[in-house]
Amino acid sequence: MAHSTSGTSTPQEASARQEAVPHGDGGAGPGTPPPTRRGMLAVAAVAAAAGVGLLAGCGEETARSASGAGPHDSTGAERSPSAEPSAHSPTPTPRPELPRGGRELSRYRLVGYCGLPGAAALGRLGTGDLDDRVRQIEKTARAYAADRAPQPVLELLATVANGTAGPDGTYRSRTSPDTIRRFHDAAKRHRALLLLNIQPGRASVLGEVKALREWLVHPDVGIALDPEWEMGPGEVPGDTYGHTSGQEITDVARYLSRIVAEHDLPQKPLVFHQVAVSVVGDQSALRPQPGVVLIKSADGIGSPGMKRDTWRQLVKDQPEGVRTGFKLFYEEDTEGSRLMTPEEVLALRPRPDYVMFE
């Protein structure tokens, strides 16, 4: 997740990155701040396996009281007494909606932080008081909303790539259910979306998604795939870029689509972070599925100019029906440069549906 790319790189550029992946095709150029992800693999594994990050300060306030919910419709407007159901007629069961109303994601600009509790280098979501962090996301989301309503997102690493094989040889650890529950409760309190991020190592991507089914049946939970950390036989996370295919992403989308249909859920986001052109092969096989919104998120560290170059390469020949996302790095992007402004991000075309900070 923390590598710069514009499609290709030279051996000199690769060797200049102190902790970079040597076999990827990133091309940030000399002077790019080295990512710290590889050095955090062991820390992340420990945090995930131990369920670290049951942060203090998360009260037991319900989502209803936290949002001030009363007799309101999905837009927040008060219902008139005449709109109340008759005492003599059965009350229809409301269809599940997104956290801030409605069933379609196109009305919202998704803005979020990612991370894993106990592993600060993996993103701000893993540090500090959880409720404070979500309030910061809310404030940030308003700056990027533009012509849409802001929708805060918590992107929690639910499957974490490891630098060691582990007892099952999969080079991955799963975040504890208690930690996921804690973050889901926070998402409900703040009417946020929870995205469960998967860095599969050598494990099956679809298998990791299926292991999260108990959370995916909720209307406020989606999936984010990190194929940079999807390893083939003989590959080790941190030594090389991983990769996926359009068909594999479509298989995940089909699985999510079935859950949406079975539980009459609103649209569910399926994000895939792409750090280099080679990370997602055969994009022509990407097929949006009913009830699932595919979002390609441009990943990569660098100056505003470098990030725009990355963006242009990754959205070139974008498959029809696939939306876009954009990732910013608070620390790495600002080493020797600066963070892109909301105006600069919103000037990208197509305009990103999801803006994520690490």
Side-chain angles (χ1 to χ4, degrees), residues 23 61 85-86 92 101 140 171 204 213 279:
H23 305 298
E61 184 180 17
S86 166
T140 303
Y171 288 85
S204 159
R213 183 183 176 91
V279 167

PDB file of all heavy atoms in Angstrom, residues 23 61 85-86 92 101 140 171 204 213 279:
ATOM      1  N   HIS A  23      10.782  -5.987  -7.284  1.00  0.00           N
ATOM      2  CA  HIS A  23      10.357  -6.538  -8.562  1.00  0.00           C
ATOM      3  C   HIS A  23       9.084  -5.897  -9.077  1.00  0.00           C
ATOM      4  O   HIS A  23       8.491  -6.385 -10.015  1.00  0.00           O
ATOM      5  CB  HIS A  23      10.125  -8.055  -8.438  1.00  0.00           C
ATOM      6  CG  HIS A  23      11.333  -8.762  -7.916  1.00  0.00           C
ATOM      7  ND1 HIS A  23      12.531  -8.768  -8.580  1.00  0.00           N
ATOM      8  CD2 HIS A  23      11.523  -9.469  -6.767  1.00  0.00           C
ATOM      9  CE1 HIS A  23      13.421  -9.474  -7.877  1.00  0.00           C
ATOM     10  NE2 HIS A  23      12.831  -9.895  -6.790  1.00  0.00           N
ATOM     11  N   GLU A  61     -22.815   4.254  23.661  1.00  0.00           N
ATOM     12  CA  GLU A  61     -23.921   4.978  23.083  1.00  0.00           C
ATOM     13  C   GLU A  61     -24.386   4.280  21.815  1.00  0.00           C
ATOM     14  O   GLU A  61     -23.599   3.827  21.012  1.00  0.00           O
ATOM     15  CB  GLU A  61     -23.452   6.397  22.736  1.00  0.00           C
ATOM     16  CG  GLU A  61     -24.555   7.300  22.212  1.00  0.00           C
ATOM     17  CD  GLU A  61     -24.001   8.676  21.888  1.00  0.00           C
ATOM     18  OE1 GLU A  61     -22.779   8.803  21.771  1.00  0.00           O
ATOM     19  OE2 GLU A  61     -24.797   9.601  21.759  1.00  0.00           O
ATOM     20  N   PRO A  85     -47.573   5.747  10.322  1.00  0.00           N
ATOM     21  CA  PRO A  85     -48.469   4.662   9.912  1.00  0.00           C
ATOM     22  C   PRO A  85     -49.711   4.602  10.788  1.00  0.00           C
ATOM     23  O   PRO A  85     -49.681   4.944  11.968  1.00  0.00           O
ATOM     24  CB  PRO A  85     -47.602   3.413  10.093  1.00  0.00           C
ATOM     25  CG  PRO A  85     -46.558   3.807  11.082  1.00  0.00           C
ATOM     26  CD  PRO A  85     -46.294   5.270  10.830  1.00  0.00           C
ATOM     27  N   SER A  86     -50.783   4.180  10.191  1.00  0.00           N
ATOM     28  CA  SER A  86     -52.038   4.056  10.922  1.00  0.00           C
ATOM     29  C   SER A  86     -51.940   2.935  11.936  1.00  0.00           C
ATOM     30  O   SER A  86     -51.290   1.914  11.714  1.00  0.00           O
ATOM     31  CB  SER A  86     -53.180   3.768   9.931  1.00  0.00           C
ATOM     32  OG  SER A  86     -54.335   3.338  10.619  1.00  0.00           O
ATOM     33  N   PRO A  92     -44.807  -1.456   7.706  1.00  0.00           N
ATOM     34  CA  PRO A  92     -43.885  -2.192   6.830  1.00  0.00           C
ATOM     35  C   PRO A  92     -42.472  -2.192   7.403  1.00  0.00           C
ATOM     36  O   PRO A  92     -42.040  -1.230   8.038  1.00  0.00           O
ATOM     37  CB  PRO A  92     -43.945  -1.401   5.512  1.00  0.00           C
ATOM     38  CG  PRO A  92     -44.359  -0.014   5.915  1.00  0.00           C
ATOM     39  CD  PRO A  92     -45.272  -0.203   7.107  1.00  0.00           C
ATOM     40  N   GLY A 101     -28.390   7.204   5.006  1.00  0.00           N
ATOM     41  CA  GLY A 101     -29.624   7.202   4.250  1.00  0.00           C
ATOM     42  C   GLY A 101     -29.455   6.798   2.806  1.00  0.00           C
ATOM     43  O   GLY A 101     -28.392   6.938   2.204  1.00  0.00           O
ATOM     44  N   THR A 140     -12.577  15.869   7.781  1.00  0.00           N
ATOM     45  CA  THR A 140     -11.864  15.746   6.506  1.00  0.00           C
ATOM     46  C   THR A 140     -12.835  15.474   5.368  1.00  0.00           C
ATOM     47  O   THR A 140     -12.698  16.030   4.268  1.00  0.00           O
ATOM     48  CB  THR A 140     -10.815  14.626   6.583  1.00  0.00           C
ATOM     49  OG1 THR A 140      -9.909  14.887   7.652  1.00  0.00           O
ATOM     50  CG2 THR A 140     -10.034  14.514   5.283  1.00  0.00           C
ATOM     51  N   TYR A 171       1.308 -16.788   5.116  1.00  0.00           N
ATOM     52  CA  TYR A 171       1.917 -15.458   5.192  1.00  0.00           C
ATOM     53  C   TYR A 171       0.858 -14.375   5.447  1.00  0.00           C
ATOM     54  O   TYR A 171       0.930 -13.279   4.922  1.00  0.00           O
ATOM     55  CB  TYR A 171       2.706 -15.128   3.908  1.00  0.00           C
ATOM     56  CG  TYR A 171       3.989 -15.904   3.782  1.00  0.00           C
ATOM     57  CD1 TYR A 171       3.987 -17.186   3.226  1.00  0.00           C
ATOM     58  CD2 TYR A 171       5.205 -15.381   4.208  1.00  0.00           C
ATOM     59  CE1 TYR A 171       5.159 -17.922   3.106  1.00  0.00           C
ATOM     60  CE2 TYR A 171       6.389 -16.105   4.089  1.00  0.00           C
ATOM     61  CZ  TYR A 171       6.362 -17.375   3.548  1.00  0.00           C
ATOM     62  OH  TYR A 171       7.513 -18.103   3.425  1.00  0.00           O
ATOM     63  N   SER A 204      -6.186 -17.665  -0.029  1.00  0.00           N
ATOM     64  CA  SER A 204      -7.188 -17.401  -1.060  1.00  0.00           C
ATOM     65  C   SER A 204      -7.914 -16.093  -0.750  1.00  0.00           C
ATOM     66  O   SER A 204      -8.428 -15.907   0.361  1.00  0.00           O
ATOM     67  CB  SER A 204      -8.197 -18.550  -1.109  1.00  0.00           C
ATOM     68  OG  SER A 204      -9.408 -18.151  -1.712  1.00  0.00           O
ATOM     69  N   ARG A 213     -17.965 -13.092   6.427  1.00  0.00           N
ATOM     70  CA  ARG A 213     -19.386 -13.020   6.071  1.00  0.00           C
ATOM     71  C   ARG A 213     -20.251 -12.467   7.208  1.00  0.00           C
ATOM     72  O   ARG A 213     -21.210 -11.725   6.959  1.00  0.00           O
ATOM     73  CB  ARG A 213     -19.894 -14.404   5.645  1.00  0.00           C
ATOM     74  CG  ARG A 213     -21.354 -14.379   5.193  1.00  0.00           C
ATOM     75  CD  ARG A 213     -21.890 -15.753   4.835  1.00  0.00           C
ATOM     76  NE  ARG A 213     -23.314 -15.663   4.509  1.00  0.00           N
ATOM     77  CZ  ARG A 213     -23.778 -15.459   3.277  1.00  0.00           C
ATOM     78  NH1 ARG A 213     -22.939 -15.331   2.276  1.00  0.00           N
ATOM     79  NH2 ARG A 213     -25.084 -15.386   3.064  1.00  0.00           N
ATOM     80  N   VAL A 279      -0.212  -4.787 -11.098  1.00  0.00           N
ATOM     81  CA  VAL A 279      -0.828  -5.393  -9.914  1.00  0.00           C
ATOM     82  C   VAL A 279      -2.204  -5.975 -10.229  1.00  0.00           C
ATOM     83  O   VAL A 279      -2.639  -6.930  -9.580  1.00  0.00           O
ATOM     84  CB  VAL A 279      -0.889  -4.364  -8.766  1.00  0.00           C
ATOM     85  CG1 VAL A 279      -1.784  -4.830  -7.642  1.00  0.00           C
ATOM     86  CG2 VAL A 279       0.518  -4.094  -8.233  1.00  0.00           C
TER      87      VAL A 279
END
